[in-house]
């Protein structure tokens, strides 16, 4: 670890909320992306990474079912709980305007957090495994009728245009992340294991 540094697994791609959380909890670690929650969890169980930062609950949408299943039935320990304020935003391609958007793509939790906004605008919804993966997909499709709900970081990472900011219904929207590791110890850089990032 002294030579290579700590490796932290998360689900998604750069700009995902889990990536943002992992980077804030472990600013000096190497954050390693995985395609889904189980893959990130297993990367720690199999010794590829030192710990995983995964979402367990959202203040508006409730438990993240897949991660809670891993929590109860997996072999890893939770060594810290961290709350990340979540702001959802509407992005699209550079040539798009809000009147062009017919459908929005995002993770089902983000779609749920923004359900009122989505209904008001009459958007169709498409689920993706992660908000940042959704942003990447919108960039690759390059279709101005397709919007994405994601973080500011994810939208900027893929060169998308911000159409509307803070579209989640609950202004105090927070996602709780857990740090999973193979041994039961405090792996966090701070002694308080429950704090706002």
């Amino acid at each position: 670890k002294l030579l290579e540094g700590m490796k932290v697994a998360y689900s998604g791609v750069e700009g995902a909320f889990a990536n943002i959380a992992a980077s804030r909890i472990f600013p000096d670690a190497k954050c390693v992306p995985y395609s889904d929650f189980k893959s990130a969890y297993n990367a720690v169980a199999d010794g590829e990474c030192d710990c995983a930062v995964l979402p367990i609950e959202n203040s508006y949408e409730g438990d993240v079912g897949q991660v809670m299943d891993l929590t109860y039935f997996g072999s890893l320990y939770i060594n810290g709980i961290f709350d990340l304020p979540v702001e959802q935003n509407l992005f699209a391609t550079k040539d798009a305007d809000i009147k062009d958007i017919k459908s929005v793509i995002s993770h089902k939790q983000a779609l749920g957090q923004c359900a009122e906004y989505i209904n008001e605008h009459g958007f169709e919804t498409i689920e993706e495994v992660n908000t940042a993966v959704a942003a990447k997909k919108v960039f690759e499709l390059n279709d101005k009728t397709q919007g994405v709900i994601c973080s500011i970081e994810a939208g900027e990472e893929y060169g998308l245009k911000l159409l509307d900011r803070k579209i989640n219904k609950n202004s105090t929207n927070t996602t709780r992340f857990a740090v999973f590791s193979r041994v039961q110890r405090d792996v966090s850089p701070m002694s308080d294991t429950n704090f706002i990032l």
Side-chain angles (χ1 to χ4, degrees):
K1 286 192 182 68
L2 288 174
L3 294 174
E4 297 179 5
M6 189 171 192
K7 291 170 70 176
V8 180
Y10 71 93
S11 175
V13 294
E14 195 167 346
F17 287 108
N19 176 222
I20 295 167
S23 298
R24 291 186 187 177
I25 298 168
F26 301 103
D28 298 321
K30 179 182 179 183
C31 295
V32 183
Y34 288 87
S35 60
D36 53 50
F37 298 136
K38 189 173 183 180
S39 298
Y41 187 96
N42 287 341
V44 178
D46 297 340
E48 293 173 27
C49 290
D50 301 296
C51 64
V53 174
L54 299 173
I56 56 172
E57 179 185 27
N58 177 265
S59 59
Y60 185 72
E61 280 293 291
D63 291 348
V64 180
Q66 289 177 314
V67 179
M68 293 307 293
D69 287 345
L70 291 167
T71 301
Y72 290 116
F73 301 110
S75 61
L76 301 182
Y77 296 96
I78 291 179
N79 287 283
I81 301 290
F82 305 88
D83 292 339
L84 177 72
V86 172
E87 175 187 298
Q88 303 289 5
N89 310 278
L90 179 64
F91 280 88
T93 57
K94 290 289 189 184
D95 60 340
D97 192 79
I98 198 160
K99 68 182 185 323
D100 299 316
I101 305 301
K102 304 295 182 202
S103 60
V104 289
I105 182 171
S106 197
H107 186 272
K108 71 176 183 177
Q109 286 262 341
L111 294 171
Q113 293 160 27
C114 303
E116 189 172 296
Y117 181 90
I118 291 166
N119 291 335
E120 283 173 5
H121 288 81
F123 297 147
E124 292 180 22
T125 60
I126 302 166
E127 287 187 17
E128 187 50 84
V129 296
N130 184 275
T131 56
V133 169
K136 184 178 181 183
K137 190 169 188 177
V138 167
F139 169 74
E140 290 170 349
L141 289 172
N142 196 29
D143 176 0
K144 71 177 185 177
T145 68
Q146 179 71 70
V148 60
I149 295 172
C150 62
S151 67
I152 291 292
E153 291 87 343
E156 291 177 349
E157 174 70 23
Y158 296 101
L160 299 174
K161 179 182 177 182
L162 178 62
L163 298 182
D164 208 349
R165 192 167 188 161
K166 297 182 182 178
I167 65 170
N168 40 287
K169 180 181 178 182
N170 190 336
S171 60
T172 58
N173 190 17
T174 303
T175 295
R176 180 161 288 165
F177 287 86
V179 175
F180 293 88
S181 70
R182 289 182 300 281
V183 293
Q184 191 169 13
R185 64 170 186 247
D186 181 15
V187 298
S188 71
M190 301 181 67
S191 57
D192 182 359
T193 59
N194 191 350
F195 68 95
I196 300 292
L197 296 171

